[in-house]
Amino acid sequence: MTILFAISCVALGMWQFARRDEARLEMTRILENFDSTPVSLTDALPALDAFNADEKWLPVTMTGTYVAEDEMLVRGRPRDGAPGFEVLTPLRLPSGAVFIVDRGWLPTGESQDAPDHIPTPPRGEVTVVARLKAGEPSIVGRGAIPGQVATIELPLIASMLAQPTYTGAYGVMTSESPDPIEAPPASVQRPQLDEGPHLSYAFQWILFAIMGFIGLGWAIRNEWRIRNADDPKEIERNAGVRAKKALRSPSDAEIEDQLMDESH
């Protein structure tokens, strides 16, 4: 049982080390890509389904026309403790393909099912700079009302648009030109460079594994003493322990216990 416990603790420790490696890799991507010079969308994504994880947060630039009538909301997107939505606006490129642009965040409105107002995107040709992110997986059991999606599941969005659509990645808007008539939704916040507590958790799990063997050793030793209480050597050892206790000064707790006994 102790061996199984130790193996489980070590496995959990290794999992925390792996989580830390993932967090550090994400930090590296932020440092290398977030503030880099924008590249052409077609250079970063040569195919509609192309995306390299190391391109996350890489700024890309593209020119096209927003398809405002196909705009949709991503529900369940809290920000700073407030519920809200992200606004996804398809951008039709000169090639005819569509790229999904996350134009930003809006708070939940009075109706709770949508924002009170969605700013209108610029009309006509617009140049957009956005940072790449991978699409999100579907969540079983989570649905959405018409005009909304539960997650940024790009293949699903492509099927809803019924047009050639980039499904490898979407873009979190950084800027658009010309400027929109209305202030755009709140831009996505810069990710924090934080690897989290994974390292300390890993060491804790390994310490638990070591403590398990220490506890096993103590239990074995205690059991041995109980079974060999009549052994002359054990009797002699116990007598020596009692003699040492008699020679040392009583502790405050022992004095208090003695006074309590005498009072009764």
Side-chain angles (χ1 to χ4, degrees), residues 64-69 89-92 101 103 121-122 124 126 128 173 176:
T65 305
Y66 280 126
V67 187
E69 59 270 22
T89 310
L91 182 72
R92 182 177 289 114
V101 178
R103 297 189 67 236
V126 59
V128 176
M173 190 185 72
E176 53 191 3

Side-chain angles (χ1 to χ4, degrees), residues 12 20 29 39 41 48 65 93 100 122 150 185-186 196 209 223 230 235:
L12 289 169
R20 177 175 181 258
R29 289 170 179 158
V39 302
L41 173 66
L48 296 183
T65 305
L93 306 175
I100 303 300
E223 180 69 17
D230 296 333
I235 294 173

Side-chain angles (χ1 to χ4, degrees), residues 150-170:
T151 66
I152 307 177
E153 186 183 355
L154 295 176
L156 173 63
I157 293 173
S159 67
M160 295 168 62
L161 298 176
Q163 300 178 57
T165 303
Y166 280 84
T167 56
Y170 69 100

Side-chain angles (χ1 to χ4, degrees), residues 16-259:
Q16 288 293 342
F17 279 126
R19 292 288 305 278
R20 177 175 181 258
D21 290 340
E22 292 174 1
R24 290 174 66 86
L25 179 58
E26 177 68 6
M27 291 169 58
T28 299
R29 289 170 179 158
I30 295 171
L31 291 171
E32 292 181 351
N33 295 340
F34 201 87
D35 296 319
S36 62
T37 302
V39 302
S40 170
L41 173 66
T42 53
D43 289 342
L45 304 178
L48 296 183
D49 59 352
F51 181 65
N52 186 326
D54 289 335
E55 294 177 330
K56 185 178 181 181
W57 301 117
L58 177 69
V60 294
T61 181
M62 69 213 83
T63 299
T65 305
Y66 280 126
V67 187
E69 59 270 22
D70 289 332
E71 194 169 65
M72 60 190 71
L73 298 171
V74 190
R75 60 187 301 108
R77 298 291 162 140
R79 176 167 173 162
D80 297 330
F85 302 82
E86 288 183 29
V87 183
L88 303 183
T89 310
L91 182 72
R92 182 177 289 114
L93 306 175
S95 65
V98 172
F99 183 76
I100 303 300
V101 178
D102 183 344
R103 297 189 67 236
W105 179 88
L106 293 173
T108 297
E110 293 184 1
S111 68
Q112 302 299 311
D113 288 332
D116 287 334
H117 176 68
I118 302 175
T120 303
R123 299 182 182 276
E125 189 176 81
V126 59
T127 297
V128 176
V129 177
R131 292 186 173 92
L132 294 177
K133 289 189 70 176
E136 300 173 355
S138 63
I139 299 178
V140 178
R142 179 181 293 184
I145 63 176
Q148 298 183 10
V149 290
T151 66
I152 307 177
E153 186 183 355
L154 295 176
L156 173 63
I157 293 173
S159 67
M160 295 168 62
L161 298 176
Q163 300 178 57
T165 303
Y166 280 84
T167 56
Y170 69 100
V172 178
M173 190 185 72
T174 300
S175 66
E176 53 191 3
S177 178
D179 294 332
I181 299 176
E182 298 181 273
S187 59
V188 173
Q189 297 171 316
R190 184 187 184 95
Q192 294 184 350
L193 298 175
D194 182 12
E195 68 178 43
H198 303 299
L199 184 61
S200 61
Y201 287 166
F203 286 137
Q204 287 178 19
W205 282 116
I206 293 174
L207 180 60
F208 290 156
I210 296 173
M211 291 174 62
F213 284 107
I214 293 175
L216 176 63
W218 178 87
I220 292 174
R221 177 60 176 167
N222 192 54
E223 180 69 17
W224 185 89
R225 287 177 177 175
I226 293 173
R227 294 189 178 187
N228 295 274
D230 296 333
D231 185 272
K233 291 183 179 180
E234 187 65 16
I235 294 173
E236 182 180 353
R237 191 195 69 81
N238 291 332
V241 172
R242 287 193 294 269
K244 288 181 180 180
K245 288 184 178 180
L247 290 174
R248 68 173 175 80
S249 300
S251 65
D252 293 340
E254 290 172 338
I255 293 174
E256 185 178 346
D257 291 341
Q258 183 178 356
L259 293 175

